[in-house]
Amino acid sequence: MSVQAAAAAQTTKATMWAIEKSRPEPGLRPITAPVPAVGPKDVFIRVTAFAICGTDLHIVEWDPWAQSRIKPPLIPGHEFTGVVESVGPEVKAVKPGDRVTAETHIYCGLCYACRRGLAHLCQNVRILGVDRQGAFADYVVIPEQNIWKLHPDIPEEIAAIHDPLGNAVHTALAGPVAGLRFTVFGCGPIGCFSIGILKACGAAWVAAVDKNPLRLDLAKRMGADVTLNVERDAVVPSILKATDGHGVDAMLEMSGHPDAFRDGFEALANGGRVSLLGIPSRPLEIDVAREIVFRGAVVQGINGRIIFDTWYRMEALLLAGKLDVRPVITHVLGWSEFDKAVELQRSGKAGKIVLRRDHD
Amino acid sequence: MSVQAAAAAQTTKATMWAIEKSRPEPGLRPITAPVPAVGPKDVFIRVTAFAICGTDLHIVEWDPWAQSRIKPPLIPGHEFTGVVESVGPEVKAVKPGDRVTAETHIYCGLCYACRRGLAHLCQNVRILGVDRQGAFADYVVIPEQNIWKLHPDIPEEIAAIHDPLGNAVHTALAGPVAGLRFTVFGCGPIGCFSIGILKACGAAWVAAVDKNPLRLDLAKRMGADVTLNVERDAVVPSILKATDGHGVDAMLEMSGHPDAFRDGFEALANGGRVSLLGIPSRPLEIDVAREIVFRGAVVQGINGRIIFDTWYRMEALLLAGKLDVRPVITHVLGWSEFDKAVELQRSGKAGKIVLRRDHD
Amino acid sequence: MSVQAAAAAQTTKATMWAIEKSRPEPGLRPITAPVPAVGPKDVFIRVTAFAICGTDLHIVEWDPWAQSRIKPPLIPGHEFTGVVESVGPEVKAVKPGDRVTAETHIYCGLCYACRRGLAHLCQNVRILGVDRQGAFADYVVIPEQNIWKLHPDIPEEIAAIHDPLGNAVHTALAGPVAGLRFTVFGCGPIGCFSIGILKACGAAWVAAVDKNPLRLDLAKRMGADVTLNVERDAVVPSILKATDGHGVDAMLEMSGHPDAFRDGFEALANGGRVSLLGIPSRPLEIDVAREIVFRGAVVQGINGRIIFDTWYRMEALLLAGKLDVRPVITHVLGWSEFDKAVELQRSGKAGKIVLRRDHD
Amino acid sequence: MSVQAAAAAQTTKATMWAIEKSRPEPGLRPITAPVPAVGPKDVFIRVTAFAICGTDLHIVEWDPWAQSRIKPPLIPGHEFTGVVESVGPEVKAVKPGDRVTAETHIYCGLCYACRRGLAHLCQNVRILGVDRQGAFADYVVIPEQNIWKLHPDIPEEIAAIHDPLGNAVHTALAGPVAGLRFTVFGCGPIGCFSIGILKACGAAWVAAVDKNPLRLDLAKRMGADVTLNVERDAVVPSILKATDGHGVDAMLEMSGHPDAFRDGFEALANGGRVSLLGIPSRPLEIDVAREIVFRGAVVQGINGRIIFDTWYRMEALLLAGKLDVRPVITHVLGWSEFDKAVELQRSGKAGKIVLRRDHD
């Protein structure tokens, strides 16, 4: 299909199915929305599957963060995959029919961060489904600069979760891994992905920490050498014992929970790495002298994915068969089961839930 | 003088002048102490000058940290210089007559940190004048592995402060400097040294922050482009304005003050470096999500000096005439004026005070 | 002037003055050329000054490299500055009246290198004045992504040489500098710039090596601690003597001369850095075992400038007054003196020559 | 057994079996040698197994390198394991009965390299079995600083080859590995080890290159994704085809062969890593402009093992069961079969050969 034909195809529909945060209050609802407009550098995508992120639950629940950041009406959704239907006239490397997903931090390309190779820390970032119309819809529009074309061997349910899987790759590979020992605090999907990545990349030992037995079981299935339940196990002594008393070489923080900060540092070797992806809901008390200064710790804030270094390495790990993330995808549902998916995810009885298009 | 002769020379004296924390209570007092014994790998040094560190003031004042760490009786003091009088039989590269100072973190060489090149983070570190007998005395004993031989062109008052100057070199050079913009929070001697080092090493702009006008004046003399008084100036807006709104590339924290953590992060560019040397007296509240995670900050705990990389670079900067630290040395007194020196330093009316031997 | 007005202004002229390589043979000649067309993402610049690079001399002389790479007719020139006259409709951050220069490696943004933050190593790079029409002309067109807007305090003759100065910044800052010792082989303009940058950034000692006394004199004026004339001085012994026998911490290779490779490694400390910018005209024999493997050397190929990290740091060094490159600009001529400038530069009797517009 | 008893035990024997290079000519021969003396910081080890390195073959053959470096009489041998019999009075962390091997680069601890954390590049290094009496003997003496204590789970035949396995770990982990593509040129034991390490540490694809079918078969068994026989396969095109035309992210050079340098660079991505461990027997011609400068390559000389970072990571990979090097150990013989082992290794019909003590 030529660009012209594709553009024509697009214009044949004026409206589409979508899920919307319509008003500043809890809940989401299905709507009929206008099909989004396509600018000269944009790619117009027919969404085929999406997944629900923890961020989306904040938006559903309309918590303080959501109230401060989200301006309804908004179509949420930033974990997705689809097929290109048409492209704007300035688009060069993407064409109709391409299977794609996207880096959902739409970066400006012009700020001090972007111009020094830190586009993932863009000062003017607009996040899909947070700051602009998202992917819980029949169609979504993404600038070409953010498009990731999928290799044919990547299955759809994994394509739909490249965004959180990329978070995990970014966090895990933010320092040396091979022959080192790790803790991962928080065994939600990103924590579990990280465990799989660490083990695929030569981590010698990974302890997974959470309080949810289902999540700890997923962590085990992703390769954790030890799982520690904070409600039952002596977390710090267990880790110190397993590391000859000196603590792990690095800690990945995926929970945002204050206890993880306390325990994680206590079980960290001098000079160790701390990679923070979890989002604490409020300021935390940290014993900076003891935990960071005297320990010589290196604490990194991790945001998004390195564009596109993280993506290339994620794809290579997947294609090499080194990383099997399917145990974390506990449910594959249809879009018509959106409410059920939200409930499942809220309940903590699911890992990652992928939702496939189940209407034309 | 041969090793044997030197050893003989040493044994001619059995006692020496020293300053001691004799009992678990505030204060220090001069005593007559036994001359320390010299082991086979040790170097026996006649001290010729020393300086008083902030740590020593904690020991004087017998604050909670001192109460928890110090076991009286103890001779404090870890900033010093002197001349080697004798050496143990296993010592290879140091000989009587050498002018020396020392890395005062006596490392074990056997722990996980030491064996991976992180001796400055030794798990069994014993700090001179804190965990073992220090340098406020006629003589001090140091293992050869910790000795730094002085170049003839290094003057005595600068030799006496290589320990804190090395802290500043370690902190300033813990990341790229050239062509970047910086904040330095806390303008005590180490903060002021850092400013001089940054400017000598290509920092494009350095803002110094403190509340003490004398210290801000020293910061200015060491090359700060801007000095900000926290009691008078709008710290964060001033820095953002001077950096096109994006904040500085790196922050050196030398104060331990909670406000520095708050303001310092707010005025930091995305992806910026935060090097923490200051020791907060208690746990701090940090808005981890906003300040570290979303900002992609890299926060480093800085402890001691890299052995001996920091030392070589410090010496090279000094010998090249690139770094003049003399403005920070506001007073040179004699050992008999020890109490006066403590008072001056406590009062905040001094920069660095060097005390020279004024008895035989 | 609005974008529309500017576009109108542009169209008032159809032809312009330019210097061209018209045929596959030695020489260049002034021509009347069509004014270049402006695409939607392009910036149309009235050139006000340019400079002649060593690459341009290769093109003049039509040497084997030029014969293999250049497709006449071509307007050369990639060191320049000017004022924006108009911009294409997709341009966002550049406007008529802006004083600019440009990163002259026009990168594709789509290849494996570009997509991982290595746009300076773009696999499809098209270099201004080499692979596309250059800046030895009244007007030049540059894609917005490559534009560098100039700070008002940057004078025109320095703006015109940001390209080679950026090479020097990239090379000098490709590893630690502060408190380290360096050799710079080759004291043409980029070598001399490098010396100034190293000294501004805390290098403790820089030895400059060349055979041309004028260039060694410029090196001295840029801050070299020692200058060594390969035809007169014992290069390696002099450097070893000045570095306690262990050699320098890093070597910048700016000459492309085989002797520099031999001497440079011999005078390099174990574990030292070798940054290669000079372009040897043919393959070189290297004693890999002795010079690289056993020495544990790290040898980096340096190409172009990091986009735009190098540029930000270059600007910051210039604005901070830390780097004065004017001694290297030995001549400022007019465009009508182009042939004289080429001759001067060929003769080795000039440093950098800047040519200013001297017609309307 | 106490230190005193052990020392006594040692003195009960005055002579021992050993293999010696007795004269400056080809060959080695068994001798009765004096038992080596034990200094105050030394560890006296009863050797239980050793292996023959390529370096040892050079010594056997008395090639130009051996003639220039070896001073007969010398007991060669630096790949070994054994049990501590006694220790000198200054030894702290090693005791009789400990199973050990050693870092065989005996470093001085005092030079510029050693004092900056680069002991593996010691300027005064003395290599066991090359510059001092080695391990092809009943007993060997090693300074405590170089001792590596073995975990009980490490089997003897692997303990005996920690030296070359450590070379492979050092080389493979000298840059990022996870999710990247590699070439390994040269599939001797170290090349094959490297392949196993890369695959254990997340390398997405490894191409192994050699001309010996047995070695390529071992490479395959160690996990190479592709094996290329230089006498049969189109090496560069095959690699480019498998990497979308851009080449691999990194190349490990383990052969020292000139063709590997030529092909390896041609098949390297822009900005790629080149880690050189192989020792070319003479200077090589390199097209520096094309292969290093324009490619932005980073070329590292790799020597020895990082002390002891490499060792900790090697042990952790082994204990985690991530790295099985047994396929490379093609033969386990007895010391009485030394000549047969040399012949086997010379013939290219063996991988690694471990020789166990077969006399009392």
Side-chain angles (χ1 to χ4, degrees):
Chain A
M1 181 161 56
S2 70
V3 171
Q4 288 73 15
Q10 182 206 331
T11 57
T12 58
K13 286 189 184 176
T15 63
M16 66 177 186
W17 173 90
I19 293 284
E20 190 184 71
K21 166 67 67 177
S22 303
R23 279 179 297 273
E25 63 187 29
L28 295 178
R29 55 163 202 160
I31 60 158
T32 297
V35 164
V38 184
K41 301 179 191 171
D42 283 339
V43 174
F44 180 78
I45 301 162
R46 181 175 187 266
V47 178
T48 58
F50 55 67
I52 301 172
C53 174
T55 302
D56 298 317
L57 293 188
H58 293 299
I59 297 174
V60 172
E61 291 167 10
W62 203 238
D63 73 2
W65 172 82
Q67 293 175 34
S68 71
R69 177 76 175 260
I70 305 296
K71 311 287 172 231
L74 176 87
I75 299 171
H78 58 275
E79 304 181 357
F80 80 98
T81 185
V83 177
V84 176
E85 289 242 331
S86 67
V87 301
E90 297 290 329
V91 171
K92 287 185 186 168
V94 179
K95 60 183 191 309
D98 284 347
R99 287 178 66 230
V100 298
T101 179
E103 167 53 57
T104 54
H105 286 205
I106 314 294
Y107 57 97
C108 75
L110 298 169
C111 70
Y112 186 60
C114 281
R115 299 252 288 183
R116 288 176 309 132
L118 303 174
H120 64 293
L121 299 173
C122 171
Q123 299 161 221
N124 308 307
V125 66
R126 304 200 69 223
I127 299 179
L128 197 78
V130 171
D131 304 307
R132 54 182 273 166
Q133 300 303 324
F136 291 166
D138 281 338
Y139 299 98
V140 69
V141 164
I142 307 275
E144 180 189 19
Q145 67 173 15
N146 280 61
I147 290 291
W148 180 256
K149 293 201 279 187
L150 293 160
H151 189 281
D153 293 348
I154 301 290
E156 183 173 69
E157 72 272 19
I158 291 174
I161 58 168
H162 270 32
D163 179 289
L165 184 57
N167 287 140
V169 170
H170 184 186
T171 312
L173 302 189
V177 173
L180 300 179
R181 295 182 175 84
F182 285 81
T183 48
V184 175
F185 284 81
C187 300
I190 299 179
C192 286
F193 294 152
S194 301
I195 292 164
I197 295 158
L198 290 173
K199 294 300 289 186
C201 299
W205 187 81
V206 179
V209 186
D210 205 303
K211 66 176 183 185
N212 177 331
L214 167 69
R215 292 182 156 189
L216 287 169
D217 183 58
L218 290 180
K220 194 85 192 166
R221 293 177 64 196
M222 290 304 291
D225 294 279
V226 170
T227 55
L228 297 167
N229 189 320
V230 293
E231 297 188 337
R232 207 180 54 212
D233 299 316
V235 172
V236 173
S238 300
I239 297 166
L240 290 178
K241 190 176 171 193
T243 54
D244 302 321
H246 51 63
V248 294
D249 300 291
M251 163 203 185
L252 310 189
E253 209 304 294
M254 304 300 203
S255 74
H257 195 284
D259 291 357
F261 283 76
R262 190 197 55 212
D263 293 354
F265 279 109
E266 284 293 307
L268 183 72
N270 284 0
R273 160 165 74 113
V274 175
S275 297
L276 304 177
L277 184 80
I279 304 297
S281 56
R282 61 183 61 83
L284 287 177
E285 204 165 74
I286 297 180
D287 187 345
V288 168
R290 174 184 173 87
E291 304 301 15
I292 303 181
V293 179
F294 294 134
R295 198 181 292 285
V298 178
V299 182
Q300 314 163 306
I302 305 287
N303 192 10
R305 294 142 298 274
I306 300 175
I307 305 168
F308 280 92
D309 183 69
T310 298
W311 292 79
Y312 280 106
R313 295 171 81 173
M314 170 166 54
E315 180 185 72
L317 288 170
L318 289 169
L319 294 179
K322 302 202 78 84
L323 178 62
D324 181 1
V325 299
R326 284 170 302 182
V328 184
I329 303 174
T330 53
H331 301 76
V332 178
L333 305 176
W335 289 359
S336 57
E337 297 169 291
F338 188 88
D339 289 347
K340 177 183 167 189
V342 167
E343 273 323 296
L344 256 170
Q345 198 156 322
R346 262 181 174 163
S347 72
K349 291 181 184 148
K352 198 75 205 171
I353 304 170
V354 173
L355 292 94
R356 285 200 162 125
R357 176 185 279 259
D358 57 0
H359 63 244
D360 283 341
Chain B
M1 182 160 56
S2 70
V3 170
Q4 288 72 16
Q10 183 205 330
T11 57
T12 58
K13 287 189 184 174
T15 62
M16 66 178 184
W17 173 90
I19 293 284
E20 191 184 68
K21 166 67 68 178
S22 303
R23 280 181 296 274
E25 61 188 29
L28 294 179
R29 54 162 204 161
I31 60 157
T32 297
V35 164
V38 184
K41 301 179 190 172
D42 282 340
V43 174
F44 180 78
I45 301 161
R46 181 175 187 267
V47 178
T48 57
F50 57 66
I52 302 172
C53 175
T55 302
D56 298 317
L57 293 187
H58 293 300
I59 297 174
V60 172
E61 291 167 10
W62 202 238
D63 73 2
W65 171 82
Q67 293 176 34
S68 72
R69 178 75 174 260
I70 305 297
K71 311 288 172 232
L74 177 86
I75 299 170
H78 57 276
E79 304 181 357
F80 81 99
T81 185
V83 177
V84 175
E85 289 243 332
S86 67
V87 302
E90 297 290 329
V91 170
K92 287 185 186 168
V94 179
K95 62 182 189 310
D98 284 348
R99 288 179 65 229
V100 299
T101 179
E103 168 52 56
T104 53
H105 285 205
I106 315 294
Y107 58 97
C108 76
L110 298 168
C111 70
Y112 185 60
C114 281
R115 299 252 288 183
R116 289 176 310 130
L118 302 174
H120 64 293
L121 299 173
C122 171
Q123 299 161 219
N124 308 307
V125 66
R126 304 200 68 222
I127 300 179
L128 197 77
V130 171
D131 303 308
R132 53 183 272 166
Q133 301 303 324
F136 291 165
D138 280 338
Y139 299 98
V140 69
V141 164
I142 307 275
E144 181 189 19
Q145 67 172 15
N146 281 61
I147 291 290
W148 180 255
K149 292 202 278 187
L150 293 160
H151 189 281
D153 294 347
I154 301 289
E156 182 173 72
E157 73 272 19
I158 291 173
I161 58 169
H162 268 34
D163 178 289
L165 184 57
N167 287 140
V169 170
H170 184 187
T171 312
L173 303 189
V177 173
L180 300 179
R181 294 180 176 85
F182 284 81
T183 47
V184 176
F185 284 81
C187 300
I190 300 179
C192 286
F193 293 151
S194 302
I195 293 164
I197 295 158
L198 290 172
K199 294 300 290 186
C201 299
W205 187 81
V206 178
V209 186
D210 205 303
K211 67 177 182 184
N212 177 330
L214 167 68
R215 292 181 155 190
L216 287 170
D217 183 57
L218 290 179
K220 194 85 191 167
R221 293 177 64 195
M222 290 304 291
D225 294 281
V226 170
T227 56
L228 297 167
N229 189 319
V230 292
E231 297 189 336
R232 207 179 55 212
D233 300 315
V235 172
V236 173
S238 300
I239 297 166
L240 290 178
K241 190 175 171 194
T243 54
D244 301 322
H246 51 62
V248 294
D249 299 293
M251 164 204 184
L252 311 189
E253 208 303 294
M254 304 299 202
S255 74
H257 195 285
D259 291 358
F261 283 75
R262 190 197 56 212
D263 292 354
F265 279 109
E266 285 294 307
L268 183 73
N270 283 1
R273 158 164 76 112
V274 175
S275 297
L276 303 177
L277 184 81
I279 304 297
S281 56
R282 61 182 62 84
L284 286 178
E285 204 166 71
I286 297 180
D287 187 345
V288 167
R290 173 184 173 86
E291 304 301 15
I292 304 181
V293 179
F294 294 133
R295 198 180 293 284
V298 178
V299 182
Q300 313 163 307
I302 306 286
N303 191 10
R305 293 142 298 273
I306 300 177
I307 304 167
F308 281 92
D309 184 68
T310 298
W311 292 80
Y312 280 107
R313 295 170 82 172
M314 171 166 53
E315 180 184 73
L317 288 170
L318 289 169
L319 294 180
K322 303 202 76 83
L323 178 63
D324 181 2
V325 300
R326 284 170 303 183
V328 184
I329 304 175
T330 53
H331 300 76
V332 178
L333 305 177
W335 289 359
S336 58
E337 297 168 291
F338 188 88
D339 289 347
K340 177 183 167 190
V342 168
E343 273 323 296
L344 256 171
Q345 199 156 323
R346 262 180 174 164
S347 72
K349 290 182 184 148
K352 198 76 205 170
I353 304 170
V354 173
L355 291 93
R356 286 199 161 124
R357 175 184 280 260
D358 56 359
H359 64 244
D360 283 341
Chain C
M1 181 161 56
S2 71
V3 170
Q4 289 72 16
Q10 182 206 332
T11 57
T12 59
K13 287 190 183 174
T15 63
M16 66 178 185
W17 173 91
I19 293 284
E20 191 184 69
K21 166 68 69 179
S22 302
R23 279 181 296 272
E25 62 187 29
L28 296 177
R29 54 165 205 159
I31 59 158
T32 297
V35 164
V38 184
K41 302 178 189 172
D42 283 340
V43 174
F44 180 77
I45 301 161
R46 181 176 186 267
V47 179
T48 58
F50 56 66
I52 302 173
C53 175
T55 301
D56 298 317
L57 293 188
H58 293 301
I59 297 174
V60 171
E61 292 168 8
W62 202 237
D63 72 2
W65 172 81
Q67 293 176 34
S68 71
R69 178 73 174 263
I70 304 296
K71 311 286 172 232
L74 177 86
I75 298 171
H78 58 275
E79 304 182 357
F80 80 99
T81 184
V83 177
V84 176
E85 288 242 332
S86 67
V87 301
E90 298 290 330
V91 170
K92 287 185 184 169
V94 180
K95 59 181 192 312
D98 285 347
R99 287 179 67 230
V100 299
T101 180
E103 168 53 56
T104 53
H105 285 204
I106 314 296
Y107 57 96
C108 75
L110 298 169
C111 69
Y112 186 60
C114 281
R115 299 253 287 184
R116 288 176 309 131
L118 303 174
H120 64 293
L121 299 174
C122 172
Q123 299 162 221
N124 308 307
V125 65
R126 303 201 68 224
I127 300 179
L128 197 77
V130 170
D131 304 308
R132 53 182 275 165
Q133 301 302 325
F136 291 166
D138 280 338
Y139 299 97
V140 68
V141 164
I142 307 276
E144 181 189 20
Q145 68 173 13
N146 279 63
I147 291 290
W148 181 255
K149 293 202 278 186
L150 293 160
H151 189 281
D153 293 348
I154 301 289
E156 184 174 69
E157 72 273 18
I158 290 174
I161 58 168
H162 269 33
D163 178 288
L165 184 57
N167 287 139
V169 170
H170 184 187
T171 312
L173 303 188
V177 173
L180 300 179
R181 295 178 176 87
F182 285 80
T183 48
V184 175
F185 284 80
C187 299
I190 300 179
C192 285
F193 293 152
S194 300
I195 293 164
I197 295 158
L198 290 173
K199 294 300 291 186
C201 298
W205 187 81
V206 178
V209 185
D210 205 303
K211 66 177 183 184
N212 176 330
L214 167 68
R215 292 183 156 187
L216 287 170
D217 183 58
L218 290 180
K220 194 86 192 167
R221 293 177 64 195
M222 290 305 290
D225 294 280
V226 170
T227 54
L228 296 168
N229 189 321
V230 292
E231 298 188 337
R232 206 180 55 213
D233 299 317
V235 173
V236 173
S238 300
I239 297 166
L240 290 178
K241 190 174 171 194
T243 55
D244 302 320
H246 52 61
V248 294
D249 299 293
M251 164 204 185
L252 310 190
E253 208 304 294
M254 304 301 202
S255 75
H257 196 284
D259 291 357
F261 282 76
R262 188 197 57 211
D263 292 353
F265 279 109
E266 285 294 306
L268 182 74
N270 282 2
R273 159 164 75 113
V274 175
S275 297
L276 304 177
L277 184 79
I279 303 297
S281 56
R282 61 182 61 83
L284 285 178
E285 204 165 73
I286 296 181
D287 187 345
V288 167
R290 174 182 173 86
E291 304 301 15
I292 304 182
V293 179
F294 293 133
R295 200 180 292 285
V298 179
V299 182
Q300 314 164 306
I302 305 287
N303 192 10
R305 294 142 296 275
I306 300 176
I307 304 168
F308 280 94
D309 182 69
T310 297
W311 292 80
Y312 279 107
R313 296 170 83 172
M314 171 166 53
E315 179 184 73
L317 287 170
L318 289 168
L319 294 179
K322 302 201 77 82
L323 178 63
D324 182 0
V325 299
R326 285 171 302 183
V328 185
I329 304 174
T330 52
H331 301 75
V332 179
L333 305 176
W335 290 358
S336 57
E337 297 169 290
F338 188 88
D339 289 346
K340 177 183 167 190
V342 167
E343 273 322 297
L344 256 171
Q345 200 156 321
R346 262 180 173 163
S347 71
K349 290 183 184 148
K352 198 76 204 170
I353 304 170
V354 173
L355 291 94
R356 284 198 162 125
R357 176 184 280 260
D358 55 0
H359 63 243
D360 280 342
Chain D
M1 182 162 54
S2 71
V3 169
Q4 288 72 17
Q10 180 205 331
T11 57
T12 58
K13 287 190 184 173
T15 62
M16 67 178 185
W17 173 90
I19 293 283
E20 190 185 70
K21 165 68 68 180
S22 302
R23 279 180 297 274
E25 62 187 31
L28 295 178
R29 54 165 204 160
I31 59 160
T32 297
V35 164
V38 184
K41 301 179 191 172
D42 282 339
V43 174
F44 179 79
I45 300 161
R46 181 175 188 268
V47 179
T48 58
F50 56 66
I52 302 173
C53 175
T55 301
D56 298 317
L57 294 189
H58 293 301
I59 297 174
V60 172
E61 291 167 9
W62 203 237
D63 72 1
W65 172 81
Q67 293 176 34
S68 71
R69 177 75 174 260
I70 304 297
K71 310 288 172 230
L74 177 86
I75 299 171
H78 58 275
E79 304 181 357
F80 80 99
T81 184
V83 178
V84 176
E85 288 244 331
S86 67
V87 301
E90 297 290 329
V91 170
K92 287 185 185 169
V94 180
K95 60 181 190 309
D98 284 347
R99 287 180 66 231
V100 299
T101 180
E103 167 52 55
T104 53
H105 285 205
I106 314 295
Y107 58 97
C108 76
L110 298 169
C111 69
Y112 186 60
C114 281
R115 299 253 288 185
R116 288 175 311 132
L118 302 175
H120 64 294
L121 299 174
C122 172
Q123 300 161 220
N124 308 307
V125 65
R126 304 199 69 222
I127 300 179
L128 198 76
V130 171
D131 303 308
R132 53 183 274 166
Q133 301 303 325
F136 291 166
D138 280 339
Y139 299 98
V140 68
V141 164
I142 307 276
E144 181 188 19
Q145 68 173 15
N146 279 63
I147 291 290
W148 180 256
K149 293 202 278 186
L150 293 160
H151 189 281
D153 294 348
I154 301 289
E156 183 173 69
E157 73 271 20
I158 290 173
I161 58 167
H162 269 33
D163 178 288
L165 184 57
N167 286 140
V169 170
H170 184 186
T171 312
L173 303 189
V177 173
L180 300 180
R181 295 179 177 87
F182 285 81
T183 48
V184 175
F185 284 81
C187 299
I190 300 179
C192 285
F193 293 152
S194 301
I195 293 164
I197 295 158
L198 290 173
K199 293 301 289 186
C201 298
W205 187 81
V206 178
V209 185
D210 204 305
K211 66 177 183 184
N212 177 330
L214 167 69
R215 292 181 156 190
L216 287 169
D217 183 58
L218 290 180
K220 194 86 193 165
R221 293 177 64 196
M222 290 304 291
D225 294 280
V226 170
T227 55
L228 296 168
N229 189 319
V230 292
E231 297 188 337
R232 206 180 57 214
D233 299 317
V235 172
V236 173
S238 300
I239 298 166
L240 291 178
K241 189 173 172 195
T243 55
D244 302 321
H246 51 62
V248 293
D249 299 293
M251 163 203 185
L252 310 190
E253 207 304 294
M254 304 300 202
S255 74
H257 196 284
D259 291 358
F261 282 75
R262 189 197 57 211
D263 292 354
F265 279 109
E266 284 294 306
L268 183 73
N270 283 1
R273 159 164 74 113
V274 175
S275 297
L276 304 178
L277 184 79
I279 303 296
S281 55
R282 61 182 60 84
L284 286 177
E285 204 165 74
I286 297 181
D287 187 346
V288 168
R290 174 183 173 88
E291 304 301 15
I292 304 181
V293 179
F294 293 133
R295 200 180 292 284
V298 179
V299 182
Q300 313 163 307
I302 305 288
N303 192 10
R305 295 141 296 274
I306 299 176
I307 304 168
F308 280 93
D309 183 69
T310 298
W311 293 80
Y312 280 107
R313 295 170 83 172
M314 171 166 55
E315 179 184 73
L317 287 170
L318 289 168
L319 295 179
K322 302 202 77 84
L323 178 62
D324 182 359
V325 299
R326 285 170 302 183
V328 184
I329 303 174
T330 52
H331 301 75
V332 178
L333 305 176
W335 289 358
S336 57
E337 298 168 291
F338 188 88
D339 289 346
K340 176 183 168 190
V342 168
E343 273 323 296
L344 256 171
Q345 199 155 323
R346 261 181 175 164
S347 71
K349 291 181 184 149
K352 198 76 205 170
I353 305 171
V354 173
L355 292 94
R356 285 200 162 124
R357 176 185 279 261
D358 55 1
H359 63 243
D360 281 341

